[in-house]
């Protein structure tokens, strides 16, 4: 089920908080696409970021896709 919802952040708010905090808020709000997009951007921006990898693995584990956690991201 895909539906359009209003952003949970104004553009100004989004600029003022970290991507990790944005991802967390998207997850709390159940906004799967935004959560995955943000986590992907975090991993592409800094592939060595242990926090981004931990969040990525956690989300994939929750949805039963933990086998994909170590697969490389395509750009």
């Amino acid at each position: 089920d895909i539906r359009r919802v209003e952003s949970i952040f104004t553009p100004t708010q989004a600029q003022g908080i970290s991507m990790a905090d944005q991802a967390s808020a998207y997850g709390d709000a159940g906004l799967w696409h935004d959560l995955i997009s943000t986590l992907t951007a975090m991993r592409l921006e800094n592939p060595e970021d242990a926090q981004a990898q931990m969040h990525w693995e956690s989300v994939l584990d929750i949805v039963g896709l933990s086998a994909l956690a170590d697969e490389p991201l395509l750009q």
Side-chain angles (χ1 to χ4, degrees):
D1 179 13
I2 298 175
R3 59 188 155 84
R4 179 179 284 271
V5 296
E6 284 190 45
S7 177
I8 60 174
F9 302 112
T10 66
T12 304
Q13 289 172 324
Q15 290 178 346
I17 56 178
S18 71
M19 290 177 76
D21 288 339
Q22 287 180 36
S24 181
Y26 290 139
D28 291 345
L31 299 174
W32 171 256
H33 182 269
D34 294 323
L35 169 61
I36 293 298
S37 265
T38 304
L39 291 176
T40 300
M42 287 172 59
R43 291 190 61 219
L44 289 172
E45 185 176 290
N46 187 358
E48 303 302 319
D49 183 350
Q51 181 184 22
Q53 182 65 28
M54 179 189 71
H55 286 299
W56 181 257
E57 290 172 1
S58 176
V59 168
L60 292 180
D61 186 50
I62 289 169
V63 296
L65 297 173
S66 58
L68 301 176
D70 292 326
E71 293 296 320
L73 295 174
L74 302 176
Q75 293 188 26

